[in-house]
Amino acid sequence: MVDMMHRARILAYSGTFIALIAAGSWISIPLPPVPLTLQTLFVLLSGIVMKRYGAIPVALYVLLGAAGLPVYHNGTAGLGVLLGPTGGFLIGFIPAALVAGLAYEQKSPTARITGLIAATVLTYAFGVAWLAWSASLSIYQAILVGVAPFVVGAAVKVAAAYAIGKRVA
Amino acid sequence: MQYVTRESAFHRLHPLTKLIFAAVVVALAVLTSDTVMLTVLAGVVVAIAIVSGLARDLLRQVPLLLSLAASLLALTVLTIRSGEIVCYLVPQSVPVIGGALPVTAGAIDLALAMSLRFAAMLFAFQLLVISTQPRDLVHVMDRLRMPVDYTLMFLIALRFIPSLQLEGKRIHEAQLARAYNPGNGLAGKIRGLFPIIIPLVSNSLGKATILGLTIDLRGYRSGRRTPMRDLSPGRADVAGICCMGLLVAGYLAVLVV
């Protein structure tokens, strides 16, 4: 049974998650070879907590960044970032939050964990496709640049999202 | 970024004028990657801040901008090869690898342009946020027929970002005060995240629940909203819009020619 959220509560939660994702984009943990940001962790948590409505704050976050508010990674913003080589990852966050949210409407832990992994894979699929197209790389090169360095971080974040989700949802 | 209570010329402008100002600066900043034009644009925004006595608030963003500029420079120097070679990261006198990693004028130019663009956009938004009461912003966006739900979400987010940063810091200090030591190295860093993120997320969700109830209690769903005060544009707004018109016209003229 899906817990239908109140309109006012969706509103307040969305605002909170936009803020959390933005704050998470500014925190980075030095993890070799590339630093880990908490952006995707909060994207997953948005789906975990808000279920299918989790896509709303993520979509708004992408939109606000595109409009020029400094909410993207390291305080960047603008259409230029969204259309730049890494913009695919930002777009991928939206379906990722939706998939994680739909998975969290199920009770079984297997479904939930599968959903989180699928959401992460989806983010990288969007990211790599756009990276390959916009920087005219081959898919193999794009994976080498856009996925390989992040695999450890992504796995840590999926595990962390699941563990945190158990405590807060 | 948060509303600052103060009497300034910029505070007295109509929220719509300020909203248009931010939109104009973002649009102009995106239109060009010419460093001179972007310097002029950022300069105009800073000049407006100085005239309104809000320059000190903008100064707080300078460390962020500098670190952003440094990372952009590092990125462009390593990836872009165009224009004249200015110098080499590895001096030519070094044997074998001497002369590696050339720093080109094109790379420096691009990094500078991107940093200036971010500076202009960031300053413009900051001027808007620190000088406009959230409720006036909602009211004006409501008048523009923007869906009110999304406007409210946007404002809640804007209001929450600074308090989240503060709270994260407080929780971290509280854990330290309790002698919490997650250990050194990578595993420790990751383990150390949980005692910060879990209280941070559950606290903010608690706050959001209360906020949702409050919004409901104030009759949000009745669909009728009356503003506390209806602001009407004054002479300064007309002057401001005219100045912006001139700025846009001049900017586009230089861009086309």
Side-chain angles (χ1 to χ4, degrees):
Chain A
M1 166 60 198
V2 181
D3 173 26
M4 281 299 162
M5 288 172 90
H6 266 213
R7 184 171 151 197
R9 190 188 281 191
I10 293 177
L11 216 148
Y13 272 39
S14 298
T16 310
F17 269 108
I18 297 169
L20 279 171
I21 299 170
S25 317
W26 299 330
I27 305 168
S28 69
I29 302 151
L31 176 77
V34 283
L36 186 101
T37 72
L38 296 182
Q39 210 175 9
T40 45
L41 177 67
F42 286 118
V43 168
L44 294 178
L45 277 176
S46 161
I48 290 172
V49 173
M50 292 181 67
K51 310 288 186 279
R52 67 177 68 188
Y53 302 107
I56 299 174
V58 180
L60 264 170
Y61 163 78
V62 174
L63 209 69
L64 284 182
L69 273 178
V71 291
Y72 292 161
H73 45 90
N74 299 326
T76 54
L79 265 181
V81 181
L82 196 60
L83 298 178
T86 57
F89 292 96
L90 289 167
I91 296 291
F93 287 162
I94 303 170
L98 187 67
V99 166
L102 288 173
Y104 263 75
E105 288 177 3
Q106 311 297 319
K107 282 267 182 285
S108 94
T110 330
R112 292 183 164 189
I113 295 173
T114 317
L116 288 182
I117 295 171
T120 307
V121 171
L122 207 58
T123 311
Y124 283 97
F126 270 78
V128 164
W130 180 252
L131 182 67
W133 187 79
S134 66
S136 48
L137 300 171
S138 71
I139 289 289
Y140 174 72
Q141 282 173 313
I143 289 176
L144 208 64
V145 182
V147 179
F150 302 97
V151 169
V152 180
V156 169
K157 276 184 273 190
V158 166
Y162 185 71
I164 295 169
K166 267 201 205 160
R167 299 279 299 272
V168 296
Chain B
M1 271 198 240
Q2 224 177 81
Y3 177 71
V4 182
T5 318
R6 203 174 299 161
E7 268 298 306
S8 81
F10 210 73
H11 275 68
R12 280 193 296 274
L13 285 178
H14 192 263
L16 186 58
T17 315
K18 290 183 267 193
L19 204 61
I20 294 173
F21 167 73
V24 162
V25 171
V26 169
L28 293 186
V30 172
L31 272 178
T32 177
S33 43
D34 184 64
T35 40
V36 180
M37 303 277 282
L38 287 168
T39 313
V40 170
L41 188 66
V44 167
V45 179
V46 171
I48 291 172
I50 292 171
V51 169
S52 333
L54 295 167
R56 196 175 298 169
D57 300 279
L58 293 198
L59 264 179
R60 260 186 247 153
Q61 303 294 337
V62 171
L64 171 77
L65 283 172
L66 285 180
S67 70
L68 187 67
S71 58
L72 280 173
L73 188 65
L75 192 74
T76 51
V77 162
L78 292 179
T79 53
I80 290 174
R81 303 264 174 277
S82 71
E84 277 175 53
I85 289 170
V86 181
C87 63
Y88 295 92
L89 281 188
V90 183
Q92 264 169 328
S93 51
V94 177
V96 191
I97 55 162
L101 300 174
V103 178
T104 55
I108 294 176
D109 208 44
L110 188 67
L112 202 60
M114 276 159 72
S115 310
L116 283 167
R117 181 181 295 158
F118 283 130
M121 297 202 302
L122 188 67
F123 285 160
F125 261 103
Q126 198 177 13
L127 277 182
L128 170 71
V129 171
I130 62 176
S131 69
T132 317
Q133 292 236 22
R135 60 158 186 247
D136 293 337
L137 209 54
V138 170
H139 178 46
V140 98
M141 284 164 112
D142 196 21
R143 278 286 187 80
L144 291 174
R145 309 220 174 277
M146 304 256 266
V148 78
D149 282 15
Y150 294 99
T151 329
L152 260 179
M153 283 181 203
F154 157 68
L155 277 161
I156 294 168
L158 220 56
R159 179 64 194 79
F160 265 37
I161 291 174
S163 39
L164 274 179
Q165 286 172 309
L166 195 68
E167 198 169 329
K169 211 175 128 208
R170 276 205 195 125
I171 294 170
H172 179 61
E173 281 165 2
Q175 306 284 21
L176 289 181
R178 293 180 177 89
Y180 179 74
N181 179 14
N184 292 325
L186 190 61
K189 283 236 167 69
I190 291 171
R191 229 178 300 135
L193 273 182
F194 289 87
I196 295 174
I197 291 183
I198 293 174
L200 186 67
V201 173
S202 32
N203 271 357
S204 32
L205 289 182
K207 265 189 223 158
T209 309
I210 294 172
L211 189 63
L213 284 174
T214 317
I215 291 171
D216 252 355
L217 280 174
R218 296 197 177 169
Y220 177 70
R221 277 193 283 181
S222 69
R224 285 182 50 216
R225 284 171 295 278
T226 40
M228 293 279 281
R229 53 188 177 139
D230 212 354
L231 296 163
S232 48
R235 230 176 290 166
D237 293 292
V238 179
I241 300 266
C242 289
C243 289
M244 274 190 270
L246 284 176
L247 179 72
V248 173
Y251 201 87
L252 291 180
V254 175
L255 210 62
V256 171
V257 174

